[in-house]
Amino acid sequence: MAITGVRWRALSAGLALLLAACSGAGAPGGSGPASSLLPSSSPPGSAGRPGGAAGPWTVAAENALPGSPDWPISAPGATEEIQGFADHAGVRPGAPVGMFVSTTASSFTVRAYRFGWYGGARARLVWSSPPVPGVRQPAAVVHARGTAVAPWQRSLSVPTDGWPPGSYLLRLDAASGGHRWVPLTVESPSVAGTVVLLQAVTSYQAYNTWGGANLYTGPDGSAATRARAVSFDRPYQDQDGAADYFTLEQPLVAFAERLGLPLGYRTGLDLDQDPQSLAGAAAVVSEGHDEYWSPAMRATLTAARDHGSNLAFLGANAIYRRIRFEGSALGADRVEVNYKVPQEDPLYGKDDARVTGNWPDPPDADPQSALTGQAYACYTATDGPLVVADPTHWIWAGTGVRAGQQLAGLVGPEADHLDAGNPAPAPLAVLAHSPLACAFGPATTADTTYYTAPSRAGVFDAGTENWICALRSDSCPGVPDGDRQAVQMATANLLRKFAAGPSD
């Protein structure tokens, strides 16, 4: 986003607490027009899981396994009691993960939870470590450009042999009672024919204040002292170490896994490192706030669209900040660079294709709307209604919505819109057209759009971050259940159609 995220962070924390309190309750659907979008219970059968009975692994079979409702952290303790990070954001199954942990306790354990639906439990315990001796590691070191790192020694290596692909949180449990999360994606060996859920780790890191600074503010809270580069070699500060996972990703993961579709898993870093990382994907789904993209990441996603992979942006402000990566002592792409002001970047005027700033702006402007269909509008003053514009579109099938109907509280806290000053594919269908009160600047509109690329790939942009909130199975603050269920039905329509391939 273009300003500091005070209100968004408060909402994020509130949603995380609510999710923990309701970890086993509620199901998407219920009464109302979207009540039949999902099965009433997990699919039957239990064969075909790593570590279980023989047979091919599937999302449906995985979610038929019993979940682990004890996964939430209810009493995290002081930050210093335990915290940690991994040396990879994502790994293929079987690859070891180095864990760097600092704790004031005599020992700690690691518990790996795979997140999904699991009959409403939302997570399954896949692996636990034996007790590991605890060590209080050094304080943060801040390098040039305000880059904070944790100069820690490796505490243990976590094996992922037999772990199914998916979205994981590793829970650090101190012997003294403190707890913290460490996010990890176990990547699909192949994503061919799958709906890929893309973890926005670059946005998570851009907002991470551990060590004193992120890409928005510095230790004194001002933009002037912000970092110009941030490191993955440090824990996440927010949501007990989970970054924005519970607000922006977990509702989508639970929803998509409950649908039982063939799913694949990637992080944004995969797209930078491997131009074939999305090869053969039926669809790629970007979560609620996927803001920070390198040129290589964008090129990989564009190539996927041009080869027939459908794209869904279930949020707003996607592909807005232009970044580049540098390596650290722990590996490639461990430092994320974004000066925000291009003239500050040492590459300005020397290698403008790699200069960091915003995608729509010079010196090498390439507005994100050419891919997403829309431009970033603004950070909202208040959450507003999503106003249905075209109820005849197949996305709204079965929802019962009418033209002009207002779905309360769904536009915000950031939004996209159609902007005549930015390129957009044509023809482009407007599915919702909503009034938008910006926190700064004049009022405008927010849009929900869909277009079909020449490859026949469909591209959907929700145009609002609160779309992800509506996927929660319990409640979304400020959104009535009937309106939330309409969005869930629309999302089920979208993902099911996208799973079938090009969807013109």
Side-chain angles (χ1 to χ4, degrees), residues 1-2 286 289-294 298 301-302 305 311 313 315-322 357-361 364-378 414-419 421-425 428 449 451 459-461 463:
M1 68 182 179
S286 163
H289 193 182
D290 203 352
E291 182 179 357
Y292 286 76
W293 285 66
S294 70
R298 180 170 174 175
L301 188 67
T302 301
R305 179 202 62 178
L311 308 182
F313 298 93
N317 196 212
I319 317 181
Y320 183 69
R321 302 291 190 184
R322 185 176 188 142
N358 300 333
W359 276 99
D361 301 332
D364 191 26
D366 187 5
Q368 73 275 27
S369 56
L371 177 58
T372 66
Q374 299 193 66
Y376 173 55
C378 66
E414 301 205 51
D416 295 341
H417 67 168
L418 293 173
D419 181 358
N422 287 285
L428 189 144
T449 59
Y451 75 86
V459 180
F460 172 81
D461 183 358

Side-chain angles (χ1 to χ4, degrees), residues 1-6 207 216 291 321 376 379-380 414 439-440:
M1 68 182 179
I3 63 173
T4 56
V6 174
Y207 288 92
Y216 291 90
E291 182 179 357
R321 302 291 190 184
Y376 173 55
Y379 186 81
T380 61
E414 301 205 51
F440 300 92

Side-chain angles (χ1 to χ4, degrees), residues 280-449:
V284 183
V285 182
S286 163
E287 60 186 41
H289 193 182
D290 203 352
E291 182 179 357
Y292 286 76
W293 285 66
S294 70
M297 290 169 62
R298 180 170 174 175
T300 298
L301 188 67
T302 301
R305 179 202 62 178
D306 294 347
H307 284 88
S309 298
N310 302 302
L311 308 182
F313 298 93
L314 297 187
N317 196 212
I319 317 181
Y320 183 69
R321 302 291 190 184
R322 185 176 188 142
I323 62 175
R324 66 174 180 267
F325 292 104
E326 297 171 358
S328 78
L330 296 184
D333 285 15
R334 297 287 295 179
V335 176
E336 176 182 339
V337 181
N338 182 260
Y339 280 84
K340 286 191 167 55
V341 179
Q343 291 80 0
E344 290 185 5
D345 194 321
L347 298 183
Y348 184 78
K350 301 174 183 177
D351 188 356
D352 286 345
R354 297 180 61 220
V355 167
T356 62
N358 300 333
W359 276 99
D361 301 332
D364 191 26
D366 187 5
Q368 73 275 27
S369 56
L371 177 58
T372 66
Q374 299 193 66
Y376 173 55
C378 66
Y379 186 81
T380 61
T382 58
D383 292 341
L386 185 81
V387 181
V388 177
D390 182 7
T392 67
H393 195 279
W394 56 261
I395 282 179
W396 294 120
T399 64
V401 300
R402 307 176 307 277
Q405 181 174 343
Q406 297 188 4
L407 305 180
L410 282 165
V411 174
E414 301 205 51
D416 295 341
H417 67 168
L418 293 173
D419 181 358
N422 287 285
L428 189 144
V430 178
L431 312 181
H433 185 65
S434 312
L436 181 62
C438 295
F440 300 92
T444 179
T445 57
D447 296 291
T448 301
T449 59

Side-chain angles (χ1 to χ4, degrees), residues 27 38-42 258:
L38 296 167
S40 59
S41 61
S42 297
R258 195 179 181 198

